[in-house]
Amino acid sequence: MQRKVTKAVFPVAGLGTRFLPATKSVPKEIMTLVDRPLIQYAIDEARAAGIKEFIFVTSRGKSALEDYFDTSPELEASLRKKGKDELLEVLQQTNMESGAIAYIRQHRALGLGHAVWCARRLIADEPFAVILPDDVIAGEKSCLQQMVEAYEETGGCMVAAMEVPPAKASAYGILDIESEDGAKVKVKAMVEKPKAEDAPSNLAVIGRYILTPDVMENLNRMKTGAGGEIQLTDAIADEIEAGRGVYGYRFRGQRFDCGSKAGFLQATVAFGLARPDLREEFSEYLAEMAALKNAAQ
Ligand code: G1P
């Protein structure tokens, strides 16, 4: 029986330069997918997986993110007065229990591993999840929940895994596979952003992790890796070196890379079409667009 995973770290300190000029004043995580900010999808996924404590690793210029999770008494009172109960409910679903959220500043951008390490005192000696909100995953059962269930059997560290085209391996952490058991993959090595020709497989790490507190110990060494940054991938790989289990989990669901413009647009279309209140009008519009494009060819 594994110790329950109730804490999650959300590294949200990045500058979001790929979305400039929008990210000049709006944190990337507040950018909206249909009508909800990216971070809300990450929170909902964590909640569905049983997470009770939410640790945000932030940086300067992210105060909009903190405000987003605060209550909005005036707005709520006004909606109540106008009888707008549905909107009130939508709003209240975003409220977080007092004390459930903590914010920690990453003072210097030293890499994802360093960002996670900043949360070490709040994690203490418990296993914990890490969610990268840029990776949005749609599926019947939340990706993290699927992983929590698999982790109950394996223990150790677990990363979400997905096949990527070989040419894209250099954008990811890549797994070297020892053996496979259904969706679970035993990992014998992992490498951060390898050149395409050096990639040990095309199974990539996607931004969902369940980690043991040992990973924080490994991060204490402040070892720099790919791009001169302190990499989370390396600290997890150290666990394999230490003889402890590391697993990949081939999740069921569709992943969108909302850290890229094309991925964000694809997610917008997919989530728009999945919404009962928008589906009809939106799909008609897309069909018209496709017809116009075909006519022009
Ligand atoms: C990070 C991780 C990488 C992982 C990726 C998933 O990279 O370092 O191992 O494959 O997230 O999205 P980043 O996209 O922050 O460069």
Side-chain angles (χ1 to χ4, degrees), residues 59-122:
S59 59
R60 282 178 295 280
K62 298 275 179 172
S63 49
L65 199 62
E66 299 189 20
D67 290 343
Y68 176 77
F69 288 112
D70 225 327
T71 49
S72 37
E74 286 139 29
L75 188 55
E76 285 184 24
S78 143
L79 291 175
R80 198 169 292 118
K81 212 166 131 200
K82 290 183 187 147
K84 299 201 166 174
D85 295 345
E86 265 176 43
L87 279 181
L88 193 61
E89 206 188 313
V90 165
L91 203 61
Q92 284 171 343
Q93 278 166 8
T94 66
N95 289 349
M96 302 289 280
E97 194 197 328
S98 294
I101 291 198
Y103 300 94
I104 294 203
R105 283 269 176 120
Q106 184 190 24
H107 294 103
R108 291 164 63 203
L110 296 177
L112 177 61
H114 179 263
V116 169
W117 174 81
C118 289
R120 67 200 177 281
R121 294 210 171 84
L122 293 178

Coordinates of all heavy atoms in Angstrom, one line a residue, residues 59-122:
S59 N 6.5 33.4 -9.9 CA 7.6 34.4 -10.0 C 7.0 35.8 -10.1 O 5.8 35.9 -10.0 CB 8.4 34.1 -11.3 OG 7.5 34.2 -12.4
R60 N 7.9 36.8 -10.3 CA 7.3 38.1 -10.4 C 6.3 38.2 -11.5 O 6.4 37.5 -12.5 CB 8.5 39.1 -10.8 CG 9.3 39.5 -9.6 CD 10.5 40.4 -10.0 NE 11.4 39.7 -10.9 CZ 12.3 38.9 -10.5 NH1 12.5 38.6 -9.3 NH2 13.1 38.3 -11.4
G61 N 5.3 39.1 -11.4 CA 4.3 39.3 -12.5 C 3.2 38.3 -12.5 O 2.5 38.2 -13.5
K62 N 3.1 37.5 -11.5 CA 2.1 36.4 -11.6 C 0.9 36.7 -10.6 O 0.2 35.8 -10.2 CB 2.7 35.1 -11.3 CG 3.8 34.6 -12.2 CD 3.2 33.9 -13.4 CE 4.3 33.5 -14.4 NZ 3.8 32.7 -15.5
S63 N 0.8 37.9 -10.2 CA -0.3 38.2 -9.2 C -1.7 37.9 -9.7 O -2.6 37.5 -8.9 CB -0.2 39.6 -8.6 OG -0.1 40.5 -9.7
A64 N -1.9 38.0 -11.0 CA -3.2 37.7 -11.5 C -3.6 36.3 -11.2 O -4.8 35.9 -11.1 CB -3.3 37.9 -13.0
L65 N -2.6 35.4 -11.1 CA -2.8 34.0 -10.8 C -3.3 33.9 -9.4 O -4.3 33.1 -9.1 CB -1.5 33.3 -11.0 CG -1.5 31.8 -11.2 CD1 -2.3 31.4 -12.5 CD2 -0.1 31.3 -11.3
E66 N -2.7 34.6 -8.5 CA -3.1 34.5 -7.1 C -4.6 35.1 -6.9 O -5.4 34.5 -6.2 CB -2.2 35.3 -6.2 CG -0.8 34.7 -6.3 CD 0.2 35.3 -5.3 OE1 -0.2 35.8 -4.3 OE2 1.4 35.1 -5.5
D67 N -4.8 36.2 -7.6 CA -6.2 36.8 -7.5 C -7.2 35.8 -8.1 O -8.4 35.8 -7.6 CB -6.2 38.1 -8.4 CG -5.4 39.2 -7.7 OD1 -5.1 39.0 -6.5 OD2 -5.1 40.2 -8.4
Y68 N -6.9 35.1 -9.1 CA -7.8 34.2 -9.8 C -8.4 33.2 -8.7 O -9.6 32.8 -8.8 CB -7.2 33.5 -10.9 CG -8.1 32.4 -11.6 CD1 -9.2 32.9 -12.4 CD2 -8.0 31.1 -11.3 CE1 -10.1 31.9 -12.9 CE2 -8.9 30.2 -11.8 CZ -10.0 30.6 -12.6 OH -10.8 29.7 -13.1
F69 N -7.6 32.8 -7.8 CA -8.0 31.7 -6.9 C -8.6 32.3 -5.6 O -9.0 31.6 -4.7 CB -6.9 30.8 -6.5 CG -6.6 29.9 -7.6 CD1 -5.4 29.9 -8.3 CD2 -7.5 28.9 -8.0 CE1 -5.1 29.1 -9.4 CE2 -7.2 28.1 -9.1 CZ -6.0 28.2 -9.8
D70 N -8.7 33.7 -5.6 CA -9.3 34.3 -4.4 C -10.9 34.3 -4.6 O -11.3 34.2 -5.8 CB -8.8 35.7 -4.3 CG -8.5 36.0 -2.9 OD1 -9.2 35.5 -2.0 OD2 -7.5 36.8 -2.6
T71 N -11.6 34.5 -3.6 CA -13.1 34.7 -3.8 C -13.3 36.1 -4.3 O -12.5 36.9 -4.2 CB -13.8 34.5 -2.4 OG1 -13.2 35.3 -1.5 CG2 -13.8 33.1 -1.9
S72 N -14.5 36.2 -4.9 CA -14.8 37.5 -5.5 C -16.2 37.9 -4.9 O -17.2 37.8 -5.6 CB -14.9 37.5 -7.0 OG -15.4 36.2 -7.4
P73 N -16.2 38.4 -3.6 CA -17.5 38.6 -2.9 C -18.4 39.6 -3.7 O -19.6 39.4 -3.7 CB -17.0 39.2 -1.6 CG -15.6 39.1 -1.5 CD -15.0 38.7 -2.8
E74 N -17.8 40.7 -4.3 CA -18.7 41.7 -4.9 C -19.4 41.1 -6.1 O -20.6 41.2 -6.4 CB -17.9 42.9 -5.3 CG -17.6 43.8 -4.1 CD -16.1 44.3 -4.2 OE1 -15.7 44.5 -5.3 OE2 -15.6 44.5 -3.1
L75 N -18.6 40.4 -6.9 CA -19.1 39.7 -8.1 C -20.2 38.7 -7.8 O -21.2 38.7 -8.3 CB -17.9 39.1 -8.9 CG -18.2 38.5 -10.2 CD1 -18.8 39.5 -11.2 CD2 -16.9 38.0 -10.9
E76 N -19.9 37.9 -6.7 CA -20.8 36.9 -6.3 C -22.1 37.5 -5.8 O -23.2 37.1 -6.2 CB -20.2 36.0 -5.2 CG -19.2 35.0 -5.8 CD -18.6 34.1 -4.7 OE1 -19.3 33.8 -3.7 OE2 -17.5 33.6 -5.0
A77 N -22.0 38.6 -5.0 CA -23.2 39.3 -4.5 C -24.0 39.8 -5.7 O -25.3 39.7 -5.7 CB -22.8 40.4 -3.6
S78 N -23.4 40.4 -6.7 CA -24.1 41.0 -7.8 C -24.8 39.9 -8.6 O -26.0 40.1 -9.0 CB -23.1 41.8 -8.6 OG -23.4 41.7 -10.0
L79 N -24.1 38.8 -8.8 CA -24.8 37.7 -9.5 C -26.0 37.1 -8.8 O -27.0 36.8 -9.3 CB -23.8 36.5 -9.8 CG -22.6 36.9 -10.8 CD1 -21.7 35.7 -10.9 CD2 -23.2 37.1 -12.2
R80 N -25.8 37.0 -7.4 CA -26.9 36.5 -6.6 C -28.1 37.4 -6.7 O -29.2 36.9 -6.8 CB -26.4 36.4 -5.1 CG -27.2 35.5 -4.3 CD -26.6 35.2 -2.9 NE -25.4 34.3 -3.1 CZ -24.1 34.7 -2.7 NH1 -24.0 35.9 -2.2 NH2 -23.1 33.9 -2.9
K81 N -27.8 38.7 -6.6 CA -28.9 39.7 -6.6 C -29.7 39.6 -8.0 O -30.9 39.7 -8.0 CB -28.3 41.1 -6.5 CG -29.2 42.1 -5.8 CD -28.4 43.3 -5.4 CE -29.2 44.6 -5.8 NZ -28.3 45.7 -5.9
K82 N -28.9 39.4 -9.0 CA -29.6 39.3 -10.4 C -30.2 37.9 -10.6 O -30.7 37.7 -11.7 CB -28.6 39.7 -11.4 CG -28.2 41.1 -11.4 CD -27.2 41.4 -12.5 CE -26.6 42.8 -12.4 NZ -25.3 42.9 -12.9
G83 N -30.0 37.0 -9.7 CA -30.6 35.7 -9.9 C -29.8 34.8 -10.9 O -30.4 33.9 -11.5
K84 N -28.6 35.2 -11.2 CA -27.8 34.4 -12.2 C -27.1 33.3 -11.5 O -25.9 33.2 -11.3 CB -26.8 35.4 -12.8 CG -27.4 36.5 -13.6 CD -26.5 37.1 -14.6 CE -27.4 38.0 -15.5 NZ -26.7 38.7 -16.5
D85 N -27.9 32.3 -11.1 CA -27.4 31.2 -10.3 C -26.4 30.3 -11.0 O -25.5 29.8 -10.4 CB -28.6 30.3 -9.8 CG -29.5 31.1 -8.9 OD1 -29.1 32.1 -8.4 OD2 -30.7 30.7 -8.7
E86 N -26.6 30.1 -12.3 CA -25.7 29.3 -13.1 C -24.3 29.8 -13.1 O -23.3 29.1 -12.9 CB -26.2 29.1 -14.5 CG -27.0 27.8 -14.7 CD -27.6 27.7 -16.1 OE1 -26.8 28.0 -17.1 OE2 -28.8 27.4 -16.3
L87 N -24.2 31.1 -13.4 CA -22.9 31.8 -13.4 C -22.3 31.8 -12.0 O -21.1 31.6 -11.8 CB -23.1 33.2 -13.8 CG -23.1 33.5 -15.4 CD1 -23.3 34.9 -15.7 CD2 -21.9 32.9 -16.0
L88 N -23.1 31.9 -11.0 CA -22.7 31.9 -9.6 C -22.0 30.6 -9.3 O -20.9 30.5 -8.7 CB -23.9 32.2 -8.7 CG -23.5 32.5 -7.2 CD1 -22.7 33.8 -7.1 CD2 -24.8 32.6 -6.4
E89 N -22.7 29.5 -9.8 CA -22.1 28.2 -9.6 C -20.8 28.0 -10.3 O -19.8 27.5 -9.7 CB -23.1 27.2 -10.0 CG -23.0 25.8 -9.3 CD -23.8 24.8 -9.9 OE1 -25.0 25.1 -10.2 OE2 -23.3 23.7 -10.2
V90 N -20.7 28.5 -11.5 CA -19.5 28.4 -12.3 C -18.3 29.1 -11.5 O -17.2 28.6 -11.4 CB -19.7 29.1 -13.7 CG1 -18.3 29.3 -14.4 CG2 -20.6 28.2 -14.6
L91 N -18.7 30.2 -11.0 CA -17.7 31.0 -10.2 C -17.3 30.3 -9.0 O -16.1 30.2 -8.6 CB -18.3 32.4 -9.9 CG -17.4 33.5 -9.6 CD1 -16.5 33.8 -10.8 CD2 -18.2 34.8 -9.3
Q92 N -18.3 29.8 -8.3 CA -18.0 29.1 -7.0 C -17.1 27.8 -7.2 O -16.4 27.5 -6.3 CB -19.3 28.9 -6.2 CG -19.7 30.2 -5.6 CD -21.1 30.1 -5.0 OE1 -21.9 29.2 -5.3 NE2 -21.5 31.1 -4.2
Q93 N -17.3 27.2 -8.3 CA -16.5 26.0 -8.6 C -15.0 26.3 -8.6 O -14.1 25.5 -8.5 CB -16.8 25.4 -9.9 CG -18.1 24.5 -9.8 CD -18.7 24.1 -11.1 OE1 -18.0 24.4 -12.2 NE2 -19.8 23.5 -11.1
T94 N -14.6 27.6 -8.8 CA -13.2 28.0 -8.9 C -12.7 28.3 -7.5 O -11.5 28.5 -7.3 CB -13.0 29.2 -9.8 OG1 -13.6 30.3 -9.3 CG2 -13.5 28.9 -11.2
N95 N -13.5 28.5 -6.5 CA -13.1 28.8 -5.2 C -12.3 27.7 -4.6 O -12.6 26.5 -4.7 CB -14.3 29.2 -4.3 CG -14.9 30.5 -4.6 OD1 -14.3 31.3 -5.4 ND2 -16.1 30.8 -4.1
M96 N -11.2 28.0 -3.9 CA -10.4 27.0 -3.2 C -10.6 27.1 -1.7 O -10.7 28.2 -1.2 CB -9.0 27.2 -3.6 CG -8.7 27.2 -5.1 SD -8.9 25.5 -5.8 CE -7.3 24.8 -5.4
E97 N -10.5 26.0 -1.1 CA -10.7 26.0 0.4 C -9.5 26.8 1.0 O -8.4 26.7 0.5 CB -10.6 24.5 0.8 CG -11.0 24.1 2.2 CD -10.4 22.8 2.5 OE1 -10.3 21.9 1.6 OE2 -10.1 22.6 3.7
S98 N -9.8 27.5 2.1 CA -8.8 28.2 2.8 C -7.6 27.3 3.2 O -7.9 26.3 3.8 CB -9.3 28.9 4.0 OG -10.2 29.9 3.6
G99 N -6.4 27.7 2.9 CA -5.3 26.9 3.4 C -4.9 25.8 2.4 O -3.9 25.1 2.6
A100 N -5.7 25.7 1.3 CA -5.4 24.6 0.4 C -4.3 25.0 -0.6 O -3.7 24.1 -1.3 CB -6.7 24.1 -0.3
I101 N -4.1 26.3 -0.8 CA -3.2 26.8 -1.8 C -2.0 27.4 -1.1 O -2.1 28.2 -0.2 CB -3.9 27.8 -2.7 CG1 -4.9 27.2 -3.5 CG2 -2.9 28.5 -3.6 CD1 -5.3 28.0 -4.7
A102 N -0.8 27.2 -1.7 CA 0.4 27.9 -1.2 C 1.1 28.4 -2.4 O 1.1 27.7 -3.5 CB 1.3 26.9 -0.4
Y103 N 1.7 29.5 -2.2 CA 2.5 30.1 -3.3 C 3.9 30.3 -2.9 O 4.2 30.7 -1.8 CB 2.0 31.5 -3.7 CG 0.6 31.5 -4.2 CD1 -0.5 31.8 -3.3 CD2 0.2 31.2 -5.5 CE1 -1.8 31.7 -3.7 CE2 -1.1 31.2 -5.9 CZ -2.1 31.5 -5.0 OH -3.4 31.4 -5.4
I104 N 4.8 29.8 -3.7 CA 6.3 29.9 -3.4 C 6.9 30.6 -4.6 O 6.6 30.4 -5.8 CB 6.9 28.5 -3.3 CG1 6.2 27.9 -2.0 CG2 8.4 28.6 -3.2 CD1 7.0 26.9 -1.4
R105 N 7.8 31.5 -4.3 CA 8.5 32.2 -5.4 C 9.8 31.5 -5.9 O 10.6 31.1 -5.0 CB 8.9 33.6 -5.0 CG 7.8 34.6 -5.0 CD 7.7 35.3 -6.3 NE 6.5 36.2 -6.3 CZ 6.6 37.5 -6.5 NH1 7.8 38.1 -6.7 NH2 5.5 38.2 -6.5
Q106 N 9.9 31.3 -7.1 CA 11.2 30.9 -7.7 C 11.9 32.2 -8.1 O 11.5 32.9 -9.0 CB 11.0 30.0 -8.9 CG 12.4 29.4 -9.4 CD 12.2 28.7 -10.8 OE1 11.3 29.0 -11.5 NE2 13.2 27.8 -11.1
H107 N 13.0 32.5 -7.3 CA 13.6 33.8 -7.6 C 14.4 33.9 -8.8 O 14.6 35.0 -9.4 CB 14.4 34.2 -6.3 CG 13.6 34.4 -5.1 ND1 13.5 33.5 -4.1 CD2 12.7 35.4 -4.8 CE1 12.6 33.9 -3.2 NE2 12.1 35.1 -3.6
R108 N 14.9 32.8 -9.2 CA 15.7 32.8 -10.5 C 15.3 31.6 -11.4 O 15.0 30.5 -10.9 CB 17.2 32.6 -10.1 CG 17.8 33.9 -9.4 CD 19.1 33.6 -8.7 NE 20.1 33.3 -9.7 CZ 21.2 32.6 -9.4 NH1 21.4 32.2 -8.1 NH2 22.1 32.3 -10.3
A109 N 15.3 31.9 -12.7 CA 14.8 30.9 -13.6 C 15.9 29.9 -13.9 O 16.7 30.0 -14.8 CB 14.3 31.5 -14.9
L110 N 16.0 28.9 -13.0 CA 17.2 27.9 -13.1 C 16.7 26.6 -13.7 O 17.5 25.7 -13.7 CB 17.9 27.8 -11.8 CG 18.5 29.0 -11.2 CD1 19.1 28.7 -9.8 CD2 19.6 29.6 -12.1
G111 N 15.5 26.5 -14.1 CA 15.0 25.2 -14.7 C 13.9 24.6 -13.9 O 13.6 25.0 -12.8
L112 N 13.2 23.6 -14.6 CA 12.0 23.0 -14.0 C 12.4 22.2 -12.7 O 11.6 22.3 -11.8 CB 11.5 22.0 -15.1 CG 10.3 21.2 -14.6 CD1 9.1 22.1 -14.3 CD2 9.8 20.2 -15.7
G113 N 13.5 21.6 -12.7 CA 13.9 20.9 -11.5 C 14.1 21.8 -10.3 O 13.6 21.5 -9.2
H114 N 14.7 22.9 -10.6 CA 14.8 24.0 -9.5 C 13.5 24.5 -9.1 O 13.3 24.7 -7.9 CB 15.7 25.1 -10.1 CG 15.9 26.2 -9.1 ND1 15.2 27.3 -9.1 CD2 16.8 26.3 -8.1 CE1 15.6 28.1 -8.1 NE2 16.6 27.5 -7.5
A115 N 12.6 24.7 -10.0 CA 11.2 25.2 -9.6 C 10.6 24.2 -8.7 O 10.0 24.6 -7.6 CB 10.4 25.4 -10.9
V116 N 10.6 22.9 -9.0 CA 10.0 21.9 -8.1 C 10.7 21.8 -6.8 O 10.1 21.8 -5.7 CB 10.1 20.5 -8.9 CG1 9.7 19.4 -7.9 CG2 9.1 20.5 -10.1
W117 N 12.0 22.0 -6.8 CA 12.8 21.9 -5.6 C 12.4 23.1 -4.6 O 12.5 22.9 -3.4 CB 14.3 22.1 -5.9 CG 15.3 22.2 -4.8 CD1 15.8 21.2 -4.0 CD2 15.9 23.4 -4.3 NE1 16.6 21.7 -3.1 CE2 16.7 23.0 -3.3 CE3 15.8 24.7 -4.7 CZ2 17.5 24.0 -2.5 CZ3 16.5 25.7 -4.0 CH2 17.4 25.3 -2.9
C118 N 12.0 24.2 -5.2 CA 11.5 25.3 -4.4 C 10.4 24.9 -3.4 O 10.2 25.6 -2.4 CB 11.1 26.5 -5.2 SG 12.5 27.3 -6.1
A119 N 9.7 23.9 -3.8 CA 8.5 23.5 -2.9 C 8.9 22.4 -1.9 O 8.1 21.9 -1.2 CB 7.4 22.9 -3.9
R120 N 10.2 22.1 -1.7 CA 10.6 21.0 -0.9 C 10.1 21.0 0.5 O 9.8 20.0 1.1 CB 12.2 20.9 -1.0 CG 12.9 22.0 -0.2 CD 14.3 22.1 -0.7 NE 15.0 23.3 -0.1 CZ 14.8 24.5 -0.5 NH1 14.0 24.8 -1.5 NH2 15.5 25.5 0.1
R121 N 10.1 22.2 1.1 CA 9.7 22.2 2.5 C 8.2 21.9 2.7 O 7.8 21.3 3.7 CB 10.0 23.6 3.2 CG 11.5 23.9 3.2 CD 11.9 24.7 4.4 NE 13.4 24.7 4.4 CZ 14.2 25.5 3.7 NH1 13.6 26.4 2.9 NH2 15.5 25.4 3.8
L122 N 7.4 22.3 1.7 CA 6.0 22.0 1.8 C 5.7 20.5 1.5 O 4.7 19.9 2.0 CB 5.2 22.9 0.9 CG 5.2 24.4 1.3 CD1 4.4 25.2 0.3 CD2 4.6 24.5 2.7

